[in-house]
Amino acid sequence: MAFVAEYLGQLSLNIGNNEPKYPTVVPVVDFNPDRDAARIETAIKTKGVDEQTIIDILTKRTYNQRRDIAFAYEKTAKKDMISALKGALSGSLETVILGLMKSTSQYDASEIRESIKGLGTDEETLIEILCSRSSEELVEIKKVYKENFKKDLEKDVAGDTSGNFAKLLLALVQTKRAEPSGIIDYEKIDDDARALYDAGVKIKGTDVPTWISIMSERSVPHLQKVFQRYKSYSPYDMQESIVKEVKGDLQKSFLVLVQCFENKQLFFAKRLNEAMKSKGAKEKIVTRIIVSRCEVDLQKICSEYKANFGQSLQKTIVEHTKGDYQKVLLGLCGPEQ
């Protein structure tokens, strides 16, 4: 049944130019928000809090269903469910559950806001989100950012970054990327491949604006072909060229972009593996990827993970996390396929 629902989900979501979706969290079939709200209220009131019930319900409902549960909860309990959850939960579990009470674009927008506000910038988060999201996702993030924070995402990014790094992020936030076209333009593919080579490896120094405009304005299928063609001009592939030509945050950004153009779910699988296996597991990254992608493409991230690392993401989560945090992550990943 889940497969059928997922298949239908993909069918309906693949119309138009949107990227296909491979969620692990899909709408629960006989959904009853009143019943869920009552169970959550009981779980919160239980001595010591019944975290398991909260995890079981909220990881198996989509954001829209969680929102309906919150409405039902407020109606009967006469209080706000998010505040009640905040009061009842703590630590990593609380972070994940509160993340699940935001839509995907609200979550991304709040992660960006967190990375910008305050002293210093968390460039890693900024790069990961802005360089991996599709144009559709970025349009939605910009809208939500303005609604929620009464600020302009472009202005905030510009105010918090500098140089070519800022120029690249701004070009991405401006969402000028062309839509994929049914026609393969071999001449343009060749022109772009040569332009990338002429602007970098071929010359002393790098003409970064040319790289930025090609990588922020061309469609993804077109760029995939450009990078293939690029190899017939350059002795290095695109990623190797980036490492040779630019440094620091600009290098990191271009690398994330190119990895996502080539295989976005593999990029996330590698990030998860690195984050979980690094000393002092980078919980923040693990949480962010799993929460932000569970209704987007986490199922495909799981299959890329297994194909690449020879072990399931679920098994790695079991080895590297514990307690309620482990349970909530496993709930979002769903069973091994």
Side-chain angles (χ1 to χ4, degrees):
M1 184 63 220
F3 171 74
V4 175
E6 188 217 314
Y7 177 68
L8 291 173
Q10 272 169 238
L11 271 184
S12 64
L13 291 161
N14 286 0
I15 298 161
N17 288 316
N18 288 346
E19 295 182 354
K21 296 215 170 182
Y22 307 93
T24 51
V25 174
V26 292
V28 75
V29 185
D30 53 351
F31 177 53
N32 180 335
D34 295 313
R35 185 180 60 206
D36 285 347
R39 286 179 64 202
I40 286 174
E41 171 69 337
T42 306
I44 289 173
K45 282 182 167 164
T46 303
K47 192 173 173 12
V49 184
D50 170 11
E51 289 92 351
Q52 190 62 57
T53 297
I54 295 170
I55 292 168
D56 290 344
I57 295 173
L58 296 179
T59 61
K60 299 302 174 207
R61 309 288 184 269
T62 58
Y63 165 69
N64 286 334
Q65 291 181 327
R66 291 180 209 120
R67 208 179 44 183
D68 289 343
I69 297 169
F71 282 133
Y73 184 94
E74 196 163 340
K75 215 167 57 206
T76 53
K78 303 281 180 280
K79 58 185 172 197
D80 173 56
M81 185 170 102
I82 295 173
S83 310
L85 287 166
K86 236 184 206 164
L89 306 171
S90 61
S92 316
L93 176 63
E94 179 190 354
T95 308
V96 175
I97 295 291
L98 295 181
L100 294 176
M101 296 310 298
K102 295 177 174 140
S103 70
T104 300
S105 47
Q106 283 169 350
Y107 182 79
D108 282 347
S110 62
E111 287 289 295
I112 292 171
R113 182 78 191 126
E114 279 303 306
S115 72
I116 289 175
K117 72 173 211 240
L119 284 169
T121 308
D122 169 8
E123 286 86 2
E124 194 180 23
T125 301
L126 205 51
I127 292 168
E128 184 199 293
I129 297 177
L130 295 180
C131 297
S132 71
R133 301 314 191 242
S134 67
S135 276
E136 290 89 3
E137 287 170 328
L138 286 168
V139 165
E140 198 50 40
I141 289 167
K142 281 197 285 190
K143 196 177 105 203
V144 168
Y145 195 92
K146 191 138 190 86
E147 284 166 8
N148 288 7
F149 308 116
K150 309 288 175 270
K151 285 177 180 296
D152 192 59
L153 180 58
E154 282 177 46
K155 282 190 187 138
D156 274 4
V157 169
D160 232 60
T161 55
S162 60
N164 283 321
F165 173 50
K167 285 180 188 146
L168 172 58
L169 295 187
L170 282 172
L172 294 171
V173 171
Q174 282 156 5
T175 55
K176 292 185 196 154
R177 193 174 301 290
E179 295 288 3
S181 140
I183 301 147
I184 298 173
D185 186 339
Y186 290 101
E187 201 176 327
K188 194 172 180 194
I189 289 166
D190 191 65
D191 289 348
D192 283 347
R194 188 187 285 265
L196 287 170
Y197 174 62
D198 289 349
V201 173
K202 189 180 174 186
I203 56 167
K204 195 170 170 22
T206 316
D207 167 12
V208 177
T210 297
W211 275 20
I212 291 176
S213 69
I214 291 173
M215 291 204 215
S216 65
E217 291 170 23
R218 306 292 189 264
S219 76
V220 175
H222 173 81
L223 285 168
Q224 288 167 341
K225 295 182 182 72
V226 169
F227 299 148
Q228 281 303 112
R229 183 74 186 134
Y230 180 83
K231 290 185 226 170
S232 60
Y233 290 110
S234 167
Y236 314 106
D237 69 20
M238 199 64 231
Q239 290 193 44
E240 290 163 342
S241 303
I242 290 165
V243 172
K244 285 185 176 303
E245 291 292 316
V246 293
K247 296 281 168 280
D249 291 327
L250 183 64
Q251 181 193 95
K252 285 180 194 155
S253 306
F254 275 132
L255 285 173
V256 171
L257 266 180
V258 172
Q259 285 165 17
C260 288
F261 294 147
E262 290 176 347
N263 183 338
K264 186 181 290 192
Q265 289 75 29
L266 178 59
F267 161 74
F268 284 125
K270 286 179 170 168
R271 285 276 290 173
L272 282 167
N273 185 263
E274 237 167 72
M276 279 191 285
K277 295 196 167 169
S278 67
K279 256 192 157 39
K282 294 180 175 164
E283 208 173 88
K284 197 171 173 243
I285 296 171
V286 176
T287 297
R288 182 172 59 240
I289 295 173
I290 290 179
V291 170
S292 67
R293 306 311 286 183
C294 63
E295 286 195 55
V296 183
D297 55 4
L298 185 54
Q299 196 187 343
K300 196 156 183 238
I301 293 169
C302 286
S303 49
E304 288 290 351
Y305 193 97
K306 193 160 190 180
N308 232 276
F309 301 109
Q311 157 172 319
S312 71
L313 176 58
Q314 290 87 337
K315 189 162 189 283
T316 313
I317 288 170
V318 168
E319 286 171 5
H320 292 276
T321 62
K322 55 185 192 294
D324 289 327
Y325 182 56
Q326 181 189 99
K327 287 176 193 162
V328 77
L329 295 181
L330 291 174
L332 291 171
C333 290
E336 285 185 37
Q337 296 289 337

